[in-house]
Amino acid sequence: MKKGLSVVLGTVIALTLSACGNGATTDNKSTQTTQPAQTAAAVKKYTFGTDATYPPFEFQKDGKYIGIDIDLINAIAKEEGFEVELKPMNFKGIIPAITAKQLDGAIAGISITDERKQVVSLSDPYYKAGLSLIVREDNTTIKTPEDLKGKVIAIKKGTSGAKLADEYGKKYDATVKYFDDSPAMYQEVANKNADVTLEDFSYKIAVDPNSKLKIVGDRLNGDNYGIAVSKDNEELMKKINDGIKKLKDNGKYDEIISTYMGKSTK
């Protein structure tokens, strides 16, 4: 009887241990198969605002958004291991959208200014910019800011050019007309409804040869473009600054610039 009971107990224990062993193996397999999914889920996606009416930095061609800024943010994302969702929008609304948490950041030819630094974080400079006077190709009367007395200035809202246009308006008794996008601003000058506009000196690279416009005079100021990010997102800002440095070191930055402008402007 005791021997029979021992046999039964031995069998039960053996089955129990066998079951436990199988369960452990199954759990290990389950953990291994879900690991890739966990890694994939760890890739963050950030929403970036951009102004798609500002060539050569961002514009639309054949239904796609291209330009220096578009290529740059995508290259940074590839280097730093995150994904980008672009949200084209009016330039004037970009900074407010970041502060309202509607965007994680923005790349849109944003000049680095002390005023903007108060509300958003701005990356290390990625492009040396500066404003110039742009007039009709047949205009021979405007060559310097002093020639703006009594003239009409067309300008895009919310830009560093708008701030300078306001200063010129007061200083030279000029009229300033505001527009939501660059094409409308340029067209106002081309149609002779305005005498001049202010735009980045790199405009001469992207301008349509049939636009009837030209750049005149010297560059009006020195400016630097930066990528804007919400002030509380230090992780994203670090990735962006690291990405900019890597792209400049490995030559990808020069490649992007030369695609649209023919030379680097580090």
PDB file of all heavy atoms in Angstrom, residues 116-156:
ATOM      1  N   ARG A 116      11.664  85.471 -29.731  1.00  0.00           N
ATOM      2  CA  ARG A 116      11.173  84.105 -29.902  1.00  0.00           C
ATOM      3  C   ARG A 116      11.723  83.171 -28.830  1.00  0.00           C
ATOM      4  O   ARG A 116      11.057  82.224 -28.416  1.00  0.00           O
ATOM      5  CB  ARG A 116      11.523  83.598 -31.303  1.00  0.00           C
ATOM      6  CG  ARG A 116      10.652  84.212 -32.391  1.00  0.00           C
ATOM      7  CD  ARG A 116      11.074  83.846 -33.778  1.00  0.00           C
ATOM      8  NE  ARG A 116      10.157  84.420 -34.766  1.00  0.00           N
ATOM      9  CZ  ARG A 116      10.481  84.715 -36.019  1.00  0.00           C
ATOM     10  NH1 ARG A 116      11.722  84.470 -36.442  1.00  0.00           N
ATOM     11  NH2 ARG A 116       9.594  85.231 -36.832  1.00  0.00           N
ATOM     12  N   LYS A 117      12.947  83.427 -28.381  1.00  0.00           N
ATOM     13  CA  LYS A 117      13.546  82.595 -27.341  1.00  0.00           C
ATOM     14  C   LYS A 117      12.783  82.669 -26.023  1.00  0.00           C
ATOM     15  O   LYS A 117      12.916  81.786 -25.174  1.00  0.00           O
ATOM     16  CB  LYS A 117      14.998  83.018 -27.100  1.00  0.00           C
ATOM     17  CG  LYS A 117      15.968  82.555 -28.173  1.00  0.00           C
ATOM     18  CD  LYS A 117      17.390  83.001 -27.824  1.00  0.00           C
ATOM     19  CE  LYS A 117      18.389  82.526 -28.844  1.00  0.00           C
ATOM     20  NZ  LYS A 117      19.764  82.979 -28.510  1.00  0.00           N
ATOM     21  N   GLN A 118      11.984  83.684 -25.848  1.00  0.00           N
ATOM     22  CA  GLN A 118      11.204  83.813 -24.618  1.00  0.00           C
ATOM     23  C   GLN A 118      10.062  82.812 -24.551  1.00  0.00           C
ATOM     24  O   GLN A 118       9.606  82.444 -23.464  1.00  0.00           O
ATOM     25  CB  GLN A 118      10.647  85.232 -24.496  1.00  0.00           C
ATOM     26  CG  GLN A 118      11.724  86.296 -24.286  1.00  0.00           C
ATOM     27  CD  GLN A 118      11.150  87.700 -24.221  1.00  0.00           C
ATOM     28  OE1 GLN A 118       9.938  87.880 -24.067  1.00  0.00           O
ATOM     29  NE2 GLN A 118      12.002  88.703 -24.322  1.00  0.00           N
ATOM     30  N   VAL A 119       9.607  82.336 -25.712  1.00  0.00           N
ATOM     31  CA  VAL A 119       8.427  81.460 -25.725  1.00  0.00           C
ATOM     32  C   VAL A 119       8.695  80.052 -26.241  1.00  0.00           C
ATOM     33  O   VAL A 119       7.942  79.125 -25.955  1.00  0.00           O
ATOM     34  CB  VAL A 119       7.274  82.104 -26.533  1.00  0.00           C
ATOM     35  CG1 VAL A 119       6.739  83.324 -25.819  1.00  0.00           C
ATOM     36  CG2 VAL A 119       7.732  82.465 -27.947  1.00  0.00           C
ATOM     37  N   VAL A 120       9.772  79.876 -27.029  1.00  0.00           N
ATOM     38  CA  VAL A 120      10.134  78.539 -27.521  1.00  0.00           C
ATOM     39  C   VAL A 120      11.643  78.353 -27.419  1.00  0.00           C
ATOM     40  O   VAL A 120      12.387  79.323 -27.289  1.00  0.00           O
ATOM     41  CB  VAL A 120       9.696  78.318 -28.994  1.00  0.00           C
ATOM     42  CG1 VAL A 120       8.188  78.360 -29.134  1.00  0.00           C
ATOM     43  CG2 VAL A 120      10.373  79.335 -29.919  1.00  0.00           C
ATOM     44  N   SER A 121      12.074  77.107 -27.470  1.00  0.00           N
ATOM     45  CA  SER A 121      13.503  76.825 -27.554  1.00  0.00           C
ATOM     46  C   SER A 121      13.901  76.827 -29.028  1.00  0.00           C
ATOM     47  O   SER A 121      13.152  76.353 -29.878  1.00  0.00           O
ATOM     48  CB  SER A 121      13.820  75.467 -26.943  1.00  0.00           C
ATOM     49  OG  SER A 121      13.587  75.462 -25.557  1.00  0.00           O
ATOM     50  N   LEU A 122      15.078  77.364 -29.317  1.00  0.00           N
ATOM     51  CA  LEU A 122      15.576  77.407 -30.688  1.00  0.00           C
ATOM     52  C   LEU A 122      16.911  76.678 -30.764  1.00  0.00           C
ATOM     53  O   LEU A 122      17.773  76.861 -29.910  1.00  0.00           O
ATOM     54  CB  LEU A 122      15.711  78.849 -31.168  1.00  0.00           C
ATOM     55  CG  LEU A 122      14.366  79.545 -31.415  1.00  0.00           C
ATOM     56  CD1 LEU A 122      14.525  81.058 -31.440  1.00  0.00           C
ATOM     57  CD2 LEU A 122      13.760  79.067 -32.731  1.00  0.00           C
ATOM     58  N   SER A 123      17.064  75.887 -31.783  1.00  0.00           N
ATOM     59  CA  SER A 123      18.246  75.047 -31.929  1.00  0.00           C
ATOM     60  C   SER A 123      19.488  75.871 -32.241  1.00  0.00           C
ATOM     61  O   SER A 123      19.437  77.092 -32.450  1.00  0.00           O
ATOM     62  CB  SER A 123      18.026  74.051 -33.070  1.00  0.00           C
ATOM     63  OG  SER A 123      18.061  74.719 -34.326  1.00  0.00           O
ATOM     64  N   ASP A 124      20.615  75.175 -32.300  1.00  0.00           N
ATOM     65  CA  ASP A 124      21.822  75.793 -32.820  1.00  0.00           C
ATOM     66  C   ASP A 124      21.539  76.258 -34.249  1.00  0.00           C
ATOM     67  O   ASP A 124      20.745  75.631 -34.965  1.00  0.00           O
ATOM     68  CB  ASP A 124      22.975  74.781 -32.842  1.00  0.00           C
ATOM     69  CG  ASP A 124      23.367  74.317 -31.443  1.00  0.00           C
ATOM     70  OD1 ASP A 124      23.118  75.083 -30.481  1.00  0.00           O
ATOM     71  OD2 ASP A 124      23.912  73.213 -31.322  1.00  0.00           O
ATOM     72  N   PRO A 125      22.159  77.346 -34.695  1.00  0.00           N
ATOM     73  CA  PRO A 125      21.913  77.836 -36.067  1.00  0.00           C
ATOM     74  C   PRO A 125      22.241  76.772 -37.104  1.00  0.00           C
ATOM     75  O   PRO A 125      23.229  76.060 -36.986  1.00  0.00           O
ATOM     76  CB  PRO A 125      22.867  79.036 -36.187  1.00  0.00           C
ATOM     77  CG  PRO A 125      23.129  79.463 -34.788  1.00  0.00           C
ATOM     78  CD  PRO A 125      23.121  78.200 -33.971  1.00  0.00           C
ATOM     79  N   TYR A 126      21.380  76.669 -38.116  1.00  0.00           N
ATOM     80  CA  TYR A 126      21.672  75.731 -39.197  1.00  0.00           C
ATOM     81  C   TYR A 126      21.811  76.438 -40.541  1.00  0.00           C
ATOM     82  O   TYR A 126      22.165  75.808 -41.552  1.00  0.00           O
ATOM     83  CB  TYR A 126      20.598  74.631 -39.285  1.00  0.00           C
ATOM     84  CG  TYR A 126      19.242  75.095 -39.774  1.00  0.00           C
ATOM     85  CD1 TYR A 126      18.934  75.168 -41.128  1.00  0.00           C
ATOM     86  CD2 TYR A 126      18.244  75.431 -38.871  1.00  0.00           C
ATOM     87  CE1 TYR A 126      17.686  75.583 -41.572  1.00  0.00           C
ATOM     88  CE2 TYR A 126      16.995  75.843 -39.298  1.00  0.00           C
ATOM     89  CZ  TYR A 126      16.718  75.913 -40.650  1.00  0.00           C
ATOM     90  OH  TYR A 126      15.474  76.327 -41.086  1.00  0.00           O
ATOM     91  N   TYR A 127      21.550  77.767 -40.557  1.00  0.00           N
ATOM     92  CA  TYR A 127      21.667  78.488 -41.823  1.00  0.00           C
ATOM     93  C   TYR A 127      21.888  79.972 -41.557  1.00  0.00           C
ATOM     94  O   TYR A 127      21.174  80.574 -40.756  1.00  0.00           O
ATOM     95  CB  TYR A 127      20.400  78.296 -42.673  1.00  0.00           C
ATOM     96  CG  TYR A 127      20.506  78.923 -44.050  1.00  0.00           C
ATOM     97  CD1 TYR A 127      21.121  78.239 -45.091  1.00  0.00           C
ATOM     98  CD2 TYR A 127      20.023  80.202 -44.293  1.00  0.00           C
ATOM     99  CE1 TYR A 127      21.250  78.808 -46.346  1.00  0.00           C
ATOM    100  CE2 TYR A 127      20.146  80.777 -45.556  1.00  0.00           C
ATOM    101  CZ  TYR A 127      20.759  80.087 -46.570  1.00  0.00           C
ATOM    102  OH  TYR A 127      20.897  80.659 -47.808  1.00  0.00           O
ATOM    103  N   LYS A 128      22.891  80.552 -42.217  1.00  0.00           N
ATOM    104  CA  LYS A 128      23.147  81.987 -42.114  1.00  0.00           C
ATOM    105  C   LYS A 128      22.263  82.711 -43.128  1.00  0.00           C
ATOM    106  O   LYS A 128      22.404  82.509 -44.333  1.00  0.00           O
ATOM    107  CB  LYS A 128      24.620  82.288 -42.387  1.00  0.00           C
ATOM    108  CG  LYS A 128      25.571  81.741 -41.347  1.00  0.00           C
ATOM    109  CD  LYS A 128      27.018  82.048 -41.716  1.00  0.00           C
ATOM    110  CE  LYS A 128      27.982  81.470 -40.696  1.00  0.00           C
ATOM    111  NZ  LYS A 128      29.397  81.708 -41.080  1.00  0.00           N
ATOM    112  N   ALA A 129      21.390  83.538 -42.611  1.00  0.00           N
ATOM    113  CA  ALA A 129      20.424  84.219 -43.463  1.00  0.00           C
ATOM    114  C   ALA A 129      20.610  85.727 -43.382  1.00  0.00           C
ATOM    115  O   ALA A 129      21.547  86.229 -42.782  1.00  0.00           O
ATOM    116  CB  ALA A 129      19.002  83.830 -43.047  1.00  0.00           C
ATOM    117  N   GLY A 130      19.679  86.462 -43.969  1.00  0.00           N
ATOM    118  CA  GLY A 130      19.714  87.915 -43.946  1.00  0.00           C
ATOM    119  C   GLY A 130      18.745  88.469 -44.964  1.00  0.00           C
ATOM    120  O   GLY A 130      18.470  87.829 -45.990  1.00  0.00           O
ATOM    121  N   LEU A 131      18.210  89.638 -44.692  1.00  0.00           N
ATOM    122  CA  LEU A 131      17.181  90.218 -45.553  1.00  0.00           C
ATOM    123  C   LEU A 131      17.764  91.137 -46.627  1.00  0.00           C
ATOM    124  O   LEU A 131      18.797  91.778 -46.417  1.00  0.00           O
ATOM    125  CB  LEU A 131      16.181  91.020 -44.709  1.00  0.00           C
ATOM    126  CG  LEU A 131      15.358  90.199 -43.715  1.00  0.00           C
ATOM    127  CD1 LEU A 131      14.610  91.128 -42.766  1.00  0.00           C
ATOM    128  CD2 LEU A 131      14.382  89.285 -44.449  1.00  0.00           C
ATOM    129  N   SER A 132      17.065  91.190 -47.764  1.00  0.00           N
ATOM    130  CA  SER A 132      17.427  92.067 -48.869  1.00  0.00           C
ATOM    131  C   SER A 132      16.182  92.758 -49.395  1.00  0.00           C
ATOM    132  O   SER A 132      15.051  92.309 -49.148  1.00  0.00           O
ATOM    133  CB  SER A 132      18.079  91.274 -50.008  1.00  0.00           C
ATOM    134  OG  SER A 132      19.274  90.674 -49.599  1.00  0.00           O
ATOM    135  N   LEU A 133      16.394  93.843 -50.133  1.00  0.00           N
ATOM    136  CA  LEU A 133      15.293  94.525 -50.815  1.00  0.00           C
ATOM    137  C   LEU A 133      15.027  93.828 -52.144  1.00  0.00           C
ATOM    138  O   LEU A 133      15.963  93.509 -52.888  1.00  0.00           O
ATOM    139  CB  LEU A 133      15.643  95.992 -51.081  1.00  0.00           C
ATOM    140  CG  LEU A 133      15.875  96.892 -49.867  1.00  0.00           C
ATOM    141  CD1 LEU A 133      16.364  98.270 -50.324  1.00  0.00           C
ATOM    142  CD2 LEU A 133      14.594  97.031 -49.048  1.00  0.00           C
ATOM    143  N   ILE A 134      13.760  93.593 -52.456  1.00  0.00           N
ATOM    144  CA  ILE A 134      13.375  92.981 -53.723  1.00  0.00           C
ATOM    145  C   ILE A 134      12.367  93.892 -54.406  1.00  0.00           C
ATOM    146  O   ILE A 134      11.355  94.275 -53.806  1.00  0.00           O
ATOM    147  CB  ILE A 134      12.774  91.583 -53.511  1.00  0.00           C
ATOM    148  CG1 ILE A 134      13.821  90.659 -52.891  1.00  0.00           C
ATOM    149  CG2 ILE A 134      12.272  91.002 -54.831  1.00  0.00           C
ATOM    150  CD1 ILE A 134      13.305  89.272 -52.565  1.00  0.00           C
ATOM    151  N   VAL A 135      12.654  94.249 -55.670  1.00  0.00           N
ATOM    152  CA  VAL A 135      11.800  95.164 -56.433  1.00  0.00           C
ATOM    153  C   VAL A 135      11.515  94.566 -57.803  1.00  0.00           C
ATOM    154  O   VAL A 135      12.073  93.521 -58.172  1.00  0.00           O
ATOM    155  CB  VAL A 135      12.479  96.542 -56.597  1.00  0.00           C
ATOM    156  CG1 VAL A 135      12.741  97.182 -55.239  1.00  0.00           C
ATOM    157  CG2 VAL A 135      13.791  96.417 -57.382  1.00  0.00           C
ATOM    158  N   ARG A 136      10.681  95.253 -58.577  1.00  0.00           N
ATOM    159  CA  ARG A 136      10.466  94.831 -59.964  1.00  0.00           C
ATOM    160  C   ARG A 136      11.759  95.015 -60.747  1.00  0.00           C
ATOM    161  O   ARG A 136      12.562  95.902 -60.463  1.00  0.00           O
ATOM    162  CB  ARG A 136       9.353  95.661 -60.601  1.00  0.00           C
ATOM    163  CG  ARG A 136       7.948  95.087 -60.401  1.00  0.00           C
ATOM    164  CD  ARG A 136       6.923  95.961 -61.114  1.00  0.00           C
ATOM    165  NE  ARG A 136       7.184  96.040 -62.546  1.00  0.00           N
ATOM    166  CZ  ARG A 136       6.635  95.232 -63.461  1.00  0.00           C
ATOM    167  NH1 ARG A 136       5.811  94.269 -63.076  1.00  0.00           N
ATOM    168  NH2 ARG A 136       6.904  95.386 -64.741  1.00  0.00           N
ATOM    169  N   GLU A 137      11.945  94.188 -61.758  1.00  0.00           N
ATOM    170  CA  GLU A 137      13.175  94.239 -62.541  1.00  0.00           C
ATOM    171  C   GLU A 137      13.356  95.551 -63.290  1.00  0.00           C
ATOM    172  O   GLU A 137      14.483  95.924 -63.653  1.00  0.00           O
ATOM    173  CB  GLU A 137      13.224  93.062 -63.522  1.00  0.00           C
ATOM    174  CG  GLU A 137      12.083  93.041 -64.524  1.00  0.00           C
ATOM    175  CD  GLU A 137      12.106  91.801 -65.397  1.00  0.00           C
ATOM    176  OE1 GLU A 137      12.957  90.923 -65.142  1.00  0.00           O
ATOM    177  OE2 GLU A 137      11.280  91.705 -66.323  1.00  0.00           O
ATOM    178  N   ASP A 138      12.258  96.285 -63.515  1.00  0.00           N
ATOM    179  CA  ASP A 138      12.366  97.568 -64.212  1.00  0.00           C
ATOM    180  C   ASP A 138      12.446  98.760 -63.249  1.00  0.00           C
ATOM    181  O   ASP A 138      12.437  99.920 -63.684  1.00  0.00           O
ATOM    182  CB  ASP A 138      11.193  97.760 -65.183  1.00  0.00           C
ATOM    183  CG  ASP A 138       9.834  97.688 -64.501  1.00  0.00           C
ATOM    184  OD1 ASP A 138       9.789  97.498 -63.260  1.00  0.00           O
ATOM    185  OD2 ASP A 138       8.804  97.825 -65.195  1.00  0.00           O
ATOM    186  N   ASN A 139      12.548  98.485 -61.940  1.00  0.00           N
ATOM    187  CA  ASN A 139      12.628  99.550 -60.946  1.00  0.00           C
ATOM    188  C   ASN A 139      14.080 100.030 -60.826  1.00  0.00           C
ATOM    189  O   ASN A 139      14.978  99.240 -60.529  1.00  0.00           O
ATOM    190  CB  ASN A 139      12.125  99.047 -59.596  1.00  0.00           C
ATOM    191  CG  ASN A 139      12.022 100.132 -58.549  1.00  0.00           C
ATOM    192  OD1 ASN A 139      12.952 100.905 -58.345  1.00  0.00           O
ATOM    193  ND2 ASN A 139      10.892 100.186 -57.869  1.00  0.00           N
ATOM    194  N   THR A 140      14.285 101.335 -61.034  1.00  0.00           N
ATOM    195  CA  THR A 140      15.627 101.904 -60.938  1.00  0.00           C
ATOM    196  C   THR A 140      15.732 102.946 -59.828  1.00  0.00           C
ATOM    197  O   THR A 140      16.787 103.568 -59.668  1.00  0.00           O
ATOM    198  CB  THR A 140      16.031 102.554 -62.274  1.00  0.00           C
ATOM    199  OG1 THR A 140      15.080 103.586 -62.599  1.00  0.00           O
ATOM    200  CG2 THR A 140      16.068 101.526 -63.397  1.00  0.00           C
ATOM    201  N   THR A 141      14.678 103.118 -59.055  1.00  0.00           N
ATOM    202  CA  THR A 141      14.649 104.184 -58.047  1.00  0.00           C
ATOM    203  C   THR A 141      14.951 103.686 -56.636  1.00  0.00           C
ATOM    204  O   THR A 141      15.276 104.488 -55.764  1.00  0.00           O
ATOM    205  CB  THR A 141      13.281 104.877 -58.043  1.00  0.00           C
ATOM    206  OG1 THR A 141      12.267 103.922 -57.713  1.00  0.00           O
ATOM    207  CG2 THR A 141      12.984 105.497 -59.409  1.00  0.00           C
ATOM    208  N   ILE A 142      14.821 102.376 -56.401  1.00  0.00           N
ATOM    209  CA  ILE A 142      15.057 101.836 -55.053  1.00  0.00           C
ATOM    210  C   ILE A 142      16.314 100.967 -55.050  1.00  0.00           C
ATOM    211  O   ILE A 142      16.397  99.960 -55.745  1.00  0.00           O
ATOM    212  CB  ILE A 142      13.854 101.004 -54.566  1.00  0.00           C
ATOM    213  CG1 ILE A 142      12.598 101.880 -54.467  1.00  0.00           C
ATOM    214  CG2 ILE A 142      14.162 100.364 -53.213  1.00  0.00           C
ATOM    215  CD1 ILE A 142      11.349 101.114 -54.078  1.00  0.00           C
ATOM    216  N   LYS A 143      17.291 101.374 -54.239  1.00  0.00           N
ATOM    217  CA  LYS A 143      18.533 100.615 -54.111  1.00  0.00           C
ATOM    218  C   LYS A 143      18.958 100.445 -52.653  1.00  0.00           C
ATOM    219  O   LYS A 143      19.713  99.538 -52.330  1.00  0.00           O
ATOM    220  CB  LYS A 143      19.644 101.308 -54.899  1.00  0.00           C
ATOM    221  CG  LYS A 143      19.403 101.339 -56.401  1.00  0.00           C
ATOM    222  CD  LYS A 143      20.529 102.037 -57.128  1.00  0.00           C
ATOM    223  CE  LYS A 143      20.267 102.073 -58.633  1.00  0.00           C
ATOM    224  NZ  LYS A 143      21.358 102.788 -59.366  1.00  0.00           N
ATOM    225  N   THR A 144      18.468 101.343 -51.784  1.00  0.00           N
ATOM    226  CA  THR A 144      18.813 101.306 -50.366  1.00  0.00           C
ATOM    227  C   THR A 144      17.567 101.603 -49.542  1.00  0.00           C
ATOM    228  O   THR A 144      16.566 102.117 -50.077  1.00  0.00           O
ATOM    229  CB  THR A 144      19.883 102.360 -50.038  1.00  0.00           C
ATOM    230  OG1 THR A 144      19.317 103.671 -50.178  1.00  0.00           O
ATOM    231  CG2 THR A 144      21.096 102.213 -50.949  1.00  0.00           C
ATOM    232  N   PRO A 145      17.582 101.327 -48.254  1.00  0.00           N
ATOM    233  CA  PRO A 145      16.432 101.650 -47.401  1.00  0.00           C
ATOM    234  C   PRO A 145      16.056 103.134 -47.447  1.00  0.00           C
ATOM    235  O   PRO A 145      14.860 103.479 -47.324  1.00  0.00           O
ATOM    236  CB  PRO A 145      16.904 101.248 -46.000  1.00  0.00           C
ATOM    237  CG  PRO A 145      17.881 100.154 -46.255  1.00  0.00           C
ATOM    238  CD  PRO A 145      18.603 100.561 -47.498  1.00  0.00           C
ATOM    239  N   GLU A 146      17.022 104.006 -47.657  1.00  0.00           N
ATOM    240  CA  GLU A 146      16.733 105.438 -47.722  1.00  0.00           C
ATOM    241  C   GLU A 146      15.826 105.796 -48.890  1.00  0.00           C
ATOM    242  O   GLU A 146      15.169 106.844 -48.884  1.00  0.00           O
ATOM    243  CB  GLU A 146      18.046 106.229 -47.832  1.00  0.00           C
ATOM    244  CG  GLU A 146      18.878 106.256 -46.559  1.00  0.00           C
ATOM    245  CD  GLU A 146      19.579 104.938 -46.274  1.00  0.00           C
ATOM    246  OE1 GLU A 146      19.731 104.124 -47.212  1.00  0.00           O
ATOM    247  OE2 GLU A 146      19.965 104.707 -45.111  1.00  0.00           O
ATOM    248  N   ASP A 147      15.775 104.920 -49.888  1.00  0.00           N
ATOM    249  CA  ASP A 147      14.931 105.165 -51.061  1.00  0.00           C
ATOM    250  C   ASP A 147      13.476 104.772 -50.829  1.00  0.00           C
ATOM    251  O   ASP A 147      12.647 104.876 -51.747  1.00  0.00           O
ATOM    252  CB  ASP A 147      15.463 104.385 -52.267  1.00  0.00           C
ATOM    253  CG  ASP A 147      16.870 104.812 -52.657  1.00  0.00           C
ATOM    254  OD1 ASP A 147      17.171 106.015 -52.536  1.00  0.00           O
ATOM    255  OD2 ASP A 147      17.659 103.930 -53.078  1.00  0.00           O
ATOM    256  N   LEU A 148      13.152 104.288 -49.629  1.00  0.00           N
ATOM    257  CA  LEU A 148      11.793 103.813 -49.349  1.00  0.00           C
ATOM    258  C   LEU A 148      10.834 104.929 -48.926  1.00  0.00           C
ATOM    259  O   LEU A 148       9.667 104.665 -48.676  1.00  0.00           O
ATOM    260  CB  LEU A 148      11.834 102.745 -48.244  1.00  0.00           C
ATOM    261  CG  LEU A 148      12.619 101.467 -48.567  1.00  0.00           C
ATOM    262  CD1 LEU A 148      12.586 100.524 -47.377  1.00  0.00           C
ATOM    263  CD2 LEU A 148      12.065 100.794 -49.813  1.00  0.00           C
ATOM    264  N   LYS A 149      11.300 106.135 -48.845  1.00  0.00           N
ATOM    265  CA  LYS A 149      10.461 107.247 -48.389  1.00  0.00           C
ATOM    266  C   LYS A 149       9.204 107.378 -49.256  1.00  0.00           C
ATOM    267  O   LYS A 149       9.274 107.525 -50.481  1.00  0.00           O
ATOM    268  CB  LYS A 149      11.238 108.567 -48.438  1.00  0.00           C
ATOM    269  CG  LYS A 149      10.474 109.749 -47.833  1.00  0.00           C
ATOM    270  CD  LYS A 149      11.355 110.965 -47.729  1.00  0.00           C
ATOM    271  CE  LYS A 149      10.595 112.156 -47.156  1.00  0.00           C
ATOM    272  NZ  LYS A 149      10.057 111.883 -45.806  1.00  0.00           N
ATOM    273  N   GLY A 150       8.050 107.245 -48.603  1.00  0.00           N
ATOM    274  CA  GLY A 150       6.771 107.377 -49.289  1.00  0.00           C
ATOM    275  C   GLY A 150       6.386 106.171 -50.139  1.00  0.00           C
ATOM    276  O   GLY A 150       5.357 106.209 -50.828  1.00  0.00           O
ATOM    277  N   LYS A 151       7.159 105.102 -50.079  1.00  0.00           N
ATOM    278  CA  LYS A 151       6.885 103.921 -50.908  1.00  0.00           C
ATOM    279  C   LYS A 151       5.950 102.948 -50.191  1.00  0.00           C
ATOM    280  O   LYS A 151       5.612 103.111 -49.022  1.00  0.00           O
ATOM    281  CB  LYS A 151       8.195 103.214 -51.261  1.00  0.00           C
ATOM    282  CG  LYS A 151       9.215 104.087 -51.968  1.00  0.00           C
ATOM    283  CD  LYS A 151       8.707 104.589 -53.303  1.00  0.00           C
ATOM    284  CE  LYS A 151       9.790 105.373 -54.035  1.00  0.00           C
ATOM    285  NZ  LYS A 151       9.338 105.898 -55.338  1.00  0.00           N
ATOM    286  N   VAL A 152       5.547 101.900 -50.918  1.00  0.00           N
ATOM    287  CA  VAL A 152       4.683 100.853 -50.374  1.00  0.00           C
ATOM    288  C   VAL A 152       5.491  99.563 -50.252  1.00  0.00           C
ATOM    289  O   VAL A 152       6.068  99.083 -51.234  1.00  0.00           O
ATOM    290  CB  VAL A 152       3.454 100.611 -51.266  1.00  0.00           C
ATOM    291  CG1 VAL A 152       2.595  99.475 -50.690  1.00  0.00           C
ATOM    292  CG2 VAL A 152       2.620 101.887 -51.399  1.00  0.00           C
ATOM    293  N   ILE A 153       5.512  99.006 -49.036  1.00  0.00           N
ATOM    294  CA  ILE A 153       6.258  97.776 -48.765  1.00  0.00           C
ATOM    295  C   ILE A 153       5.275  96.623 -48.578  1.00  0.00           C
ATOM    296  O   ILE A 153       4.369  96.705 -47.745  1.00  0.00           O
ATOM    297  CB  ILE A 153       7.119  97.911 -47.496  1.00  0.00           C
ATOM    298  CG1 ILE A 153       8.049  99.126 -47.589  1.00  0.00           C
ATOM    299  CG2 ILE A 153       7.904  96.639 -47.243  1.00  0.00           C
ATOM    300  CD1 ILE A 153       8.769  99.436 -46.286  1.00  0.00           C
ATOM    301  N   ALA A 154       5.436  95.540 -49.338  1.00  0.00           N
ATOM    302  CA  ALA A 154       4.633  94.327 -49.153  1.00  0.00           C
ATOM    303  C   ALA A 154       5.428  93.357 -48.294  1.00  0.00           C
ATOM    304  O   ALA A 154       6.620  93.148 -48.529  1.00  0.00           O
ATOM    305  CB  ALA A 154       4.305  93.700 -50.502  1.00  0.00           C
ATOM    306  N   ILE A 155       4.788  92.761 -47.304  1.00  0.00           N
ATOM    307  CA  ILE A 155       5.525  91.885 -46.393  1.00  0.00           C
ATOM    308  C   ILE A 155       4.646  90.770 -45.856  1.00  0.00           C
ATOM    309  O   ILE A 155       3.421  90.930 -45.761  1.00  0.00           O
ATOM    310  CB  ILE A 155       6.134  92.698 -45.215  1.00  0.00           C
ATOM    311  CG1 ILE A 155       7.334  91.974 -44.608  1.00  0.00           C
ATOM    312  CG2 ILE A 155       5.066  93.046 -44.203  1.00  0.00           C
ATOM    313  CD1 ILE A 155       8.543  91.938 -45.499  1.00  0.00           C
ATOM    314  N   LYS A 156       5.269  89.628 -45.525  1.00  0.00           N
ATOM    315  CA  LYS A 156       4.521  88.496 -44.958  1.00  0.00           C
ATOM    316  C   LYS A 156       4.412  88.652 -43.447  1.00  0.00           C
ATOM    317  O   LYS A 156       5.388  88.975 -42.767  1.00  0.00           O
ATOM    318  CB  LYS A 156       5.218  87.184 -45.306  1.00  0.00           C
ATOM    319  CG  LYS A 156       4.472  85.949 -44.818  1.00  0.00           C
ATOM    320  CD  LYS A 156       4.945  84.685 -45.506  1.00  0.00           C
ATOM    321  CE  LYS A 156       6.335  84.294 -45.127  1.00  0.00           C
ATOM    322  NZ  LYS A 156       6.706  82.962 -45.681  1.00  0.00           N
TER     323      LYS A 156
END
